[in-house]
Amino acid sequence: MAVVTLVAGRHRHLALQQDALDRGARRPDTYVVVTMDDPAAGELAARGSPAASVVPVAVPASGRFPLAGARNAGARRALALGAEVLVFLDVDCLPGPDTVARYAEAAFDGGLLCGTVAYLPPPPAGGYRLADLPHMAAPHPGRPAPAPDRLLTGGDPNLFWSLSFALTATTWRRVGGFCEEYTGYGGEDTDFAHLAQRAGVDLCWLGGAPVHHQYHPVEDPPVRHLADILRNGALFRRRWGRWPMEGWLHAFARLGLVRHDSATDTWEATGDRPTADADVPQATTGLWTSNGRPDPATGGRR
């Protein structure tokens, strides 16, 4: 069983995740850390426990992180090392003591498993203490939160998020991995869930496999990722016949940043700055779904 994580910066987040894995009831047989133009992160992860198998991936000249390609590269390394179950964790995610074991025991061929994600407030002085995390945040309200011994089948692929998920090696090969045409931010995880659905793989919400997402500031909506969202959204439409990330697109439209052509069903940037009466929060804890739709209450995304 392998845990796969992507990293570019956020070294403290990576180190605490590694510590959480080391203290778990079951340590991963293999910890694969894919570094995106971040050799220092690779050195950090290789020295820690469990020691990481580091996969360096170059960021193209465009500066857009190859998230889909990096996940595929991490999976290739894990499979080459003999992993029969792949667990993907965002670098911000801290697994609970039983999370890795629960994923390993629950994984089955034909299932795409997603545990619960709880978003943490900013860390207290001295940083997060792993033992305190369950008391600091509840699972995100926009996703099912099954009891620890429950598995809910028939999940909506539009709600899949890549923060924390697991599947068998057989299922990974059946899906075929992430579409590497996506670069930069947004869309690749929803695309992956639709590939899984097309391959007859069931999205399942898994109890007993919690992760806690370490705090970092976010934009709400993510204006700095506007170009990525338009490009990746158009790619998704070409592949699946509809636009993803609709919540973000409509939020950008309210800010005067994009317009929709209903005749051609295309979204394009206006080139304008946000309107004066609709300033964009630059450091919020606003959360969004993986497909850009606002969830109940605050919503959720990274």
Side-chain angles (χ1 to χ4, degrees), residues 19-260:
D19 189 23
L21 290 170
D22 191 44
R23 298 187 190 190
R26 174 172 177 175
R27 292 179 42 166
D29 302 313
T30 304
Y31 182 37
V32 177
V33 174
V34 184
T35 60
M36 295 179 287
D37 275 2
D38 190 350
E43 294 172 6
L44 173 70
R47 291 197 306 265
S49 179
S53 177
V54 178
V55 181
V57 169
V59 176
S62 66
R64 298 192 292 266
F65 286 118
L67 302 176
R71 290 195 190 97
N72 290 345
R76 284 194 298 273
R77 173 66 60 84
L79 295 173
L81 293 173
E84 296 182 354
V85 174
L86 307 178
V87 178
F88 290 81
L89 296 179
D90 187 277
V91 70
D92 299 317
C93 287
L94 301 173
D98 298 316
T99 296
V100 170
R102 177 66 170 139
Y103 269 140
E105 71 179 12
F108 65 95
D109 290 342
L112 175 58
L113 310 184
C114 293
T116 59
V117 179
Y119 281 80
L120 294 168
Y128 296 116
R129 294 181 64 252
L130 295 176
D132 295 339
L133 300 185
H135 311 293
M136 295 181 68
H140 188 273
R143 301 293 189 282
D149 60 345
R150 295 291 305 280
L151 176 74
L152 302 181
T153 60
D156 180 357
N158 293 307
L159 292 181
F160 172 78
W161 50 13
S162 53
L163 296 169
S164 172
F165 70 97
L167 69 176
T168 65
T170 297
T171 305
W172 172 266
R173 294 186 178 103
R174 181 170 161 183
V175 176
F178 285 78
C179 172
E180 297 189 13
E181 292 181 69
Y182 292 91
T183 57
Y185 189 82
E188 84 289 343
D189 46 2
T190 309
D191 187 282
F192 179 79
H194 281 74
L195 288 172
Q197 182 183 57
R198 189 172 68 184
V201 172
D202 190 12
L203 177 62
C204 305
W205 302 106
L206 180 65
V211 300
H212 285 81
H213 187 286
Q214 301 174 77
Y215 173 85
H216 62 79
V218 297
E219 288 180 311
D220 185 359
V223 170
R224 66 193 175 100
H225 296 299
L226 173 60
D228 285 353
I229 288 169
L230 288 175
R231 185 187 61 259
N232 287 341
L235 171 60
F236 187 96
R237 185 185 182 281
R238 290 196 299 272
R239 286 169 58 81
W240 300 103
R242 65 171 182 82
W243 282 84
M245 302 180 280
E246 295 166 310
W248 286 335
L249 292 169
H250 288 289
F252 293 147
R254 288 192 293 272
L255 293 172
L257 301 178
V258 299
R259 65 171 66 91
H260 182 248

Side-chain angles (χ1 to χ4, degrees), residues 265-285:
D265 189 26
T266 56
W267 289 87
E268 61 180 18
T270 63
D272 295 336
R273 293 179 176 273
T275 56
D277 59 347
D279 292 333
V280 179
Q282 297 299 307
T284 77
T285 55

